[in-house]
Amino acid sequence: MSTDWSIESWKTLTANQQPVYDDRQELNEVLAALRIMPPLVTSWEVDKLKQQIARAQTGDAWVLQGGDCAESFDDCDAESIASKLKVLLQMSLVLVYGSGKPIVRIGRIAGQYAKPRSSSTEERDGQQLPSYRGDLINRAPFTGDHRRANPQLLLRGYERSAVTLNFIRALSYGGFADLHHPENWNLIFAGADKPGPYKQVVDSLGDALRFIETISPQPNPELQRVDFYTSHEALHLDYEQALTRESVRRTGWYNLGTHFPWIGERTRQLTGAHVEMMRGIQNPVGVKIGPAAQTEEVVALIRRLNPDNAPGKVTLIHRLGNERIREALPPIIRAVQASGSPVLWSCDPMHGNTVTAGSGHKTRHFGEVLGELSAAFEVHRDCGSQLGGVHLELTGENVTECVGGSSGLTEDDLTTAYNTHCDPRLNYEQAMEIAFAIAQQIEPRA
Ligand code: PEP
Ligand code: CO
């Protein structure tokens, strides 16, 4: 770690997208309370994930990252957590089967509570209030009281992250992830029961699971539990700092509020506070790369975050949009290749493809999402690189937020179940369909 970094060095730099608190003393009391709370994850889990990302960088594993755009305190319930875990586990099963590679599962979960906003205020009927910045900061209803940045919400967010993670750990180490429980792995969605490529894969997967059941009817720890990691946008730097601790048994500082923090498109300035905070920690970190990114800027970011070229440290999550990816991605790939620094390339096919429907709902067209993803595979292949992961906004429920897919959702359906607190998410069927499409495109292991 460089000697000019400290846990507070970010404070000397510009931190974009930070809430303004009217009571600094209350904020400081909350942060002091957070600093002595137990960590949510451990440094050895973080190191293990970093090793797995390093394997994905060399093409020996693949990373599936997904979850809500913004988690909400109200949705912190058993059913919604279990359904998110279930869709990610099922997608990973399809990916393992299709690619023959280990799949690293990372949820946007247990802490994805802070959102960057394009404007710090919102106006309705002539009234101007602070924008909603996620449940960690303020609340969505349009009243002065709800929109006030409330420091107590940092504690509520930490607690909900803890209970969410507790339930995820119980499910993924207990029976839920057990391959002997077919009800959790049953792939029931449109197209899966009609003759065609999905049915073929689903039937073969069913045969494989029955085969496992026959040859290994006794509980087998390898088949009963799965590794599942957490991630969120490391946006609120006071909160991130409070959960970043110096390791007792290992060397260095770890963000123990999540396994995999990422820096968003709006806060990845080279000399900004977010990059400063992330460059000093041992966690693997993600950086979103949007269409405005310059090649030199991307290379400089990698150098700053990972001056020693440590394997597993940096994941570049490009989110360029289906329209622009073919033109924008190749120069970035070439510049990074020339830098010689190892990165994991992940594609976020959501954030460059957001449009407003006639009804005013923010939506995404399934065809555009799939289009960007397929283009990403192709562009990487053409440049002698490999796409090693995907970053999706999805939910396990049957929401109607993105249009298209084999169930044929149209803009008229958007009002039926538009439940997101921020960006539109793929629903269960759309997410499974994406998993099948990815499985067909992942490069086989060399
Ligand atoms: C997000 O992932 O929800 C997000 C805001 O993405 P980006 O930083 O890429 O715009
Ligand atoms: Co989003």
Side-chain angles (χ1 to χ4, degrees), residues 68-70 108 112 115-116 233 262-267 288-290 317 319 348 351 364 391 393 422-423:
D68 293 315
C69 179
R108 283 175 65 116
Q112 177 51 19
K115 296 307 298 174
E233 179 171 350
W262 80 83
I263 310 174
E265 166 70 359
R266 289 163 195 77
T267 51
K288 292 286 200 89
I289 301 294
I317 307 165
R319 28 88 85 222
D348 164 357
H351 289 88
R364 288 158 173 160
H391 181 114
E393 287 184 343
C422 200
D423 290 337

Side-chain angles (χ1 to χ4, degrees), residues 107-144:
R108 283 175 65 116
I109 200 164
Q112 177 51 19
Y113 288 124
K115 296 307 298 174
R117 302 315 306 249
S118 45
S119 166
S120 56
T121 54
E122 183 183 342
E123 195 176 306
R124 284 191 205 171
D125 303 324
Q127 192 189 5
Q128 209 179 50
L129 290 175
S131 294
Y132 169 61
R133 288 185 174 275
D135 283 359
L136 193 67
I137 289 126
N138 58 5
R139 307 311 302 269
F142 194 73
T143 72

